[in-house]
Structures are given as C-alpha cells and as structure tokens.
Amino acid sequence: MQSNQSYAEYLRHTAVSTRVFPAASLEFFLLAQAQERRHRREMEQLAELARTFDWKLTRNYEKLLIAGNTLVISNRAKSILWVSTRFFSMTGYKPQEAIGRTPRFLQGPDTDPARLRQLSDDLAQAHLRSQPRPIRQQLINYRKGGTPYLCDIEIDPIWTKQGELTHFIAVEKEV
C-alpha cells in the first residue's frame, strides 16, 4: 500500500491473494486507532473546558467514558454545551442537534413527570449542598426516531476552584 493511497483504493486494485495480511485485521486495527483518537480528543475537550471554566473536578470522567458512559455537560440554565460521541449512538442525535437545547427534548409521553420534578428540584438545590454528590435518577428518554429507552443518570454539580456552582456533568447509560 502506498502512503498516498486510501485503504479503499488499495482494496480495489489489489488481488486478495497478494495482500500481505488479511484485510479484516487492518480494518480492526484502523477502527481501534480511530476510537483511540476519538477518546483522546474527547479527553482534551473535557480538559480544555475544565481549564476555561476553572472547574474543580472530583471524578475520573476518563474512566467513565472508557466504561461506555455518555457525558453531557450543561450550564446552570440546563442548556447543553457539550456531549461525548456516545451521545449519538445512545440517542440518534448528533452533538450539533443537542448543543444549545435542554435535555428535555429527549423526554416524551412515558417520561414520569414526578421523576422530572424531583430531578429539577435536586438540581435547583445543588448549590446549597456542602458535600457535593451526584444527583441520581432513572428516566425514560426517547431516541431521535421516537424509540423509548431507560436511562440511568448521575448528574455531578461542578464548582469552580473558587467554590461557585457553574455547570453540571451528566453521566448517562442506557439500562
């Protein structure tokens, strides 16, 4: 394979019997490389947000991303500022479709209003807690195509190093 040749071009112009290694092995390798780059990029973006807003992070979000969780960062007004790439696979929404909206756009007819009220109350009271702890809830959310799914949510209130509550990081996983 030549350095200026794409992998697809290589496969089109190379007989299967002359390949040095199985194509599937290369495809798995390339996929793993792409996933590693995506993960590094996500961690760089999260670190940049932490520096920009002067956050005092107390949780290992890299470990949570590796474990398959989705991260959603919102401001105190609950507008989404950033989502991890797993957000798309969980919801069907691209990041640019979610940014600027509140997470309510994911809720629908079977989302329990009592759980939403409790979640809203807990978020409103987050700045009063002396010991920050995650706000936990399970909600029925809806994918872009309208399919419901049960979502475990842990929302971490995020303070600056000066002690001001400025954002929330939701750690979400489909159940």
Side-chain angles (χ1 to χ4, degrees), residues 138-159:
Q138 246 186 19
L139 295 175
I140 294 176
N141 280 343
Y142 289 81
R143 292 183 176 84
K144 188 174 184 177
T147 310
Y149 66 96
L150 187 60
C151 187
D152 257 342
I153 305 168
E154 285 187 11
I155 303 173
D156 296 325
I158 304 298
W159 279 266

Side-chain angles (χ1 to χ4, degrees), residues 119-151:
L119 182 60
S120 187
D121 291 347
D122 289 346
L123 289 172
Q125 298 295 317
H127 70 283
L128 301 176
R129 295 187 181 153
S130 60
Q131 288 296 323
R133 65 182 188 275
I135 297 163
R136 292 181 171 85
Q137 194 57 265
Q138 246 186 19
L139 295 175
I140 294 176
N141 280 343
Y142 289 81
R143 292 183 176 84
K144 188 174 184 177
T147 310
Y149 66 96
L150 187 60
C151 187

Side-chain angles (χ1 to χ4, degrees), residues 7-78:
Y7 180 61
E9 290 171 338
Y10 170 75
L11 288 178
R12 272 195 301 271
H13 298 23
T14 306
V16 174
S17 62
T18 63
R19 292 185 194 149
V20 181
F21 46 84
S25 295
L26 179 60
E27 290 168 356
F28 287 128
F29 173 76
L30 293 173
L31 178 61
Q33 292 296 307
Q35 289 172 334
E36 177 60 30
R37 282 191 306 274
R38 183 203 76 220
H39 174 72
R40 272 196 314 270
R41 191 169 44 251
E42 281 185 332
M43 291 314 303
E44 288 167 3
Q45 290 170 342
L46 189 57
E48 181 61 32
L49 287 167
R51 279 190 300 276
T52 300
F53 294 110
D54 199 30
W55 289 339
K56 180 182 174 188
L57 297 178
T58 58
R59 200 164 177 189
N60 186 343
Y61 293 103
E62 181 172 14
K63 189 175 178 181
L64 292 166
L65 281 171
I66 290 170
N69 292 285
T70 298
L71 297 184
V72 178
I73 299 176
S74 60
N75 59 19
R76 281 188 70 177
K78 300 176 190 129

Side-chain angles (χ1 to χ4, degrees), residues 74-135:
S74 60
N75 59 19
R76 281 188 70 177
K78 300 176 190 129
S79 291
I80 296 172
L81 304 176
W82 181 85
V83 295
S84 63
T85 55
R86 289 194 192 273
F87 184 83
F88 175 73
S89 59
M90 186 170 70
T91 68
Y93 289 96
K94 296 176 185 173
Q96 57 269 32
E97 295 176 291
I99 293 171
R101 300 171 80 177
T102 68
R104 285 204 179 243
F105 82 95
L106 296 169
Q107 284 125 38
D110 291 331
T111 305
D112 185 350
R115 288 178 183 246
L116 283 176
R117 265 192 308 282
Q118 182 63 51
L119 182 60
S120 187
D121 291 347
D122 289 346
L123 289 172
Q125 298 295 317
H127 70 283
L128 301 176
R129 295 187 181 153
S130 60
Q131 288 296 323
R133 65 182 188 275
I135 297 163

